[in-house]
Amino acid sequence: MERIEDQFANLCIVQRSLEPKEPTYLLGIDTSKTIQADKGNLVAVLCSNGSIRIYDKETLKVLREFSGSPGLLNGVRFANSCDSVYSASTDGTVKCWDARLASEKPVQLFKGYPSNVFISFDVNCKDHIICAGTEKVDDDALLVFWDARTTSQDLSTKDPLGAYSETHSDDITQVRFHPSNPNMVVSGSTDGLVNVFDISIDNEEDALVATCNSISSVSCIGWSGRDYKQIYCMTHDEGFCWWDLNHLDTDEPITRLYIQDVREITDGKEGHLDYLVGGLYHEKMDRLFVIGGTNTGKIHLLSCTSSGLTHVARLQGGHAATVRSFCWNMSEDSLLTGGEDAQLLLWKPGAIEKTFTKKDNLKIASSVQQRVRVHSNDSYKRRKQQ
């Protein structure tokens, strides 16, 4: 098996999206899970103007665009069993579109409780349950749940099954279901806490399996390890945490790795790192990788072990500004990246690199900055990890 270090280092740009009429930051990427011989795979991209664009994966041509109006959309996720695409909205709903239909109207609408502003969400591996996290309103930050299953008698609008309200004290910025266990979900918040739940258990207190403290505002979370029994977390001030849930009932420490600021340990011969983008667990290799970048568009791959982060490979020559999103395809070892230069790039290993003109950093209207929330972490620094 080729090492991922070599796979990543050999990636070349094979396709670049055309410059859109309205340049936007590309904040999130997901690809369709279904494979249809007569139809190309789809890519859904969350844009900073509050819309989702659907692209053809091979040509990167825009096929259609869905608006979150009257709210702004947060997050993008394809269903696991069909071409439905979901996003959470600040108007208090989670919206679902059929990505192969031109209609802008959602095929389903999942309504929250009054005053809910959704900023994160996920769909479980069986497409049965949706969970969305809210901004803190008054004293409440909620995880809201819906039954996502449809029948011929279903109306297009659904009300919640219920909510968790006692385990986070600030905005819930991240929600991620377990890749194979439909009842396990992890949430992260600006309160610094990362909570793991088993939603098959009736009440919130008993459903809470573990609470981990990142000591800062959570920007990204994910599952890793054999049987996905580990959790990693990134923070808005570029910290990194990695926990092992296998050690919950043992005397072994749950924390595998804690780095307060990754930027301080990566300024070596391979160049500095300005920010973290996300994590990548390679199931076949049983290895966790971290992807970060520079403000000039370089992309860095770091290998994660309990001893620390090690630089593996670097991609350059693609983006001209901060990279905000990526999606790695395990089966074909291809990479999609999106950035603040409004470009969506498709990278493949060993391909003949096409000639592209690197785009200049786009000066985007100040309204975009409203989507890039800066969280003060002073209050979290005062927290002491138990």
Side-chain angles (χ1 to χ4, degrees):
M1 181 185 297
E2 186 182 12
R3 299 187 314 158
I4 192 170
E5 292 92 330
D6 298 328
Q7 293 173 6
F8 197 84
N10 292 333
L11 289 174
C12 298
I13 302 169
V14 296
Q15 198 60 260
R16 185 191 295 269
S17 63
L18 296 176
E19 187 170 325
K21 295 178 182 178
E22 181 187 357
T24 66
Y25 294 178
L26 306 187
L27 303 177
I29 302 172
D30 197 22
T31 56
S32 59
K33 315 297 191 298
T34 57
I35 299 175
Q36 301 182 43
D38 59 332
K39 297 178 181 178
N41 276 10
L42 302 177
V43 177
V45 176
L46 174 68
C47 304
S48 58
N49 64 355
S51 70
I52 287 176
R53 292 192 190 123
I54 305 296
Y55 294 78
D56 179 278
K57 185 180 177 183
E58 294 305 317
T59 65
L60 296 190
K61 291 182 179 178
V62 178
L63 302 177
R64 57 196 59 90
E65 188 166 348
F66 302 129
S67 170
S69 180
L72 292 175
L73 298 176
N74 291 283
V76 61
R77 186 76 65 212
F78 270 103
N80 294 284
S81 58
C82 63
D83 286 322
S84 295
V85 63
Y86 298 84
S87 187
S89 175
T90 56
D91 67 6
T93 65
V94 174
K95 303 177 191 294
C96 173
W97 295 269
D98 186 330
R100 296 196 180 273
L101 297 181
S103 172
E104 281 200 14
K105 184 178 180 181
V107 293
Q108 277 197 298
L109 201 63
F110 301 88
K111 294 182 64 176
Y113 298 104
S115 79
N116 282 172
V117 176
F118 294 121
I119 56 174
S120 58
F121 86 102
D122 201 10
V123 185
N124 77 352
C125 61
K126 289 190 174 181
D127 297 334
H128 289 175
I129 299 292
I130 294 171
C131 176
T134 72
E135 284 189 347
K136 181 182 178 181
V137 176
D138 297 327
D139 292 326
D140 293 325
L142 305 181
L143 286 169
V144 182
F145 297 87
W146 295 266
D147 185 342
R149 292 171 293 186
T150 59
T151 68
S152 57
Q153 288 79 32
D154 274 348
L155 300 174
S156 59
T157 301
K158 286 195 170 186
D159 293 322
L161 292 171
Y164 291 167
S165 61
E166 303 297 328
T167 40
H168 284 297
S169 60
D170 212 333
D171 299 355
I172 300 174
T173 54
Q174 288 282 295
V175 177
R176 284 290 175 268
F177 275 100
H178 191 279
S180 58
N181 184 336
N183 294 320
M184 299 296 291
V185 64
V186 60
S187 60
S189 167
T190 56
D191 63 10
L193 300 183
V194 174
N195 291 325
V196 184
F197 299 94
D198 181 349
I199 62 173
S200 66
I201 300 172
D202 285 342
N203 64 77
E204 179 177 355
E205 183 178 358
D206 293 337
L208 182 63
V209 173
T211 294
C212 307
N213 194 348
S214 72
I215 324 179
S216 190
S217 173
V218 175
S219 62
C220 174
I221 53 177
W223 298 84
S224 65
R226 293 289 183 198
D227 299 322
Y228 290 95
K229 291 187 176 179
Q230 298 170 355
I231 293 167
Y232 62 86
C233 161
M234 297 165 195
T235 65
H236 285 104
D237 52 2
E238 315 311 337
F240 179 79
C241 306
W242 189 18
W243 299 287
D244 193 336
L245 301 183
N246 288 301
H247 296 166
L248 282 175
D249 299 320
T250 72
D251 294 330
E252 295 291 321
I254 189 175
T255 301
R256 286 180 60 84
L257 184 63
Y258 171 71
I259 301 173
Q260 185 172 356
D261 189 339
V262 172
R263 294 169 295 187
E264 295 179 355
I265 66 163
T266 55
D267 196 4
K269 64 179 181 179
E270 297 295 339
H272 72 285
L273 200 69
D274 290 321
Y275 55 85
L276 298 174
V277 185
L280 166 66
Y281 175 66
H282 200 294
E283 192 174 49
K284 293 179 182 177
M285 298 181 179
D286 186 27
R287 290 178 65 186
L288 176 63
F289 296 90
V290 171
I291 291 182
T294 70
N295 295 329
T296 55
K298 294 178 182 176
I299 303 171
H300 292 271
L301 181 72
L302 308 174
S303 177
C304 183
T305 69
S306 57
S307 301
L309 297 177
T310 305
H311 190 275
V312 169
R314 177 177 61 192
L315 294 179
Q316 55 188 358
H319 291 282
T322 298
V323 175
R324 296 293 297 269
S325 53
F326 74 93
C327 186
W328 178 268
N329 184 308
M330 294 283 180
S331 61
E332 60 183 38
D333 298 323
S334 65
L335 178 70
L336 285 160
T337 58
E340 293 186 4
D341 55 4
Q343 294 298 297
L344 178 65
L345 303 183
L346 174 62
W347 310 70
K348 289 187 177 182
I352 298 175
E353 185 163 3
K354 296 182 180 180
T355 302
F356 293 104
T357 302
K358 187 175 178 182
K359 300 293 183 179
D360 293 332
N361 191 1
L362 297 172
K363 301 297 183 183
I364 300 177
S366 59
S367 61
V368 169
Q369 306 302 327
Q370 299 173 11
R371 300 295 317 284
V372 187
R373 305 187 60 203
V374 179
H375 300 280
S376 169
N377 63 4
D378 291 344
S379 61
Y380 314 120
K381 294 298 183 185
R382 293 195 294 268
R383 288 180 177 269
K384 301 297 182 182
Q385 194 165 19
Q386 301 299 317

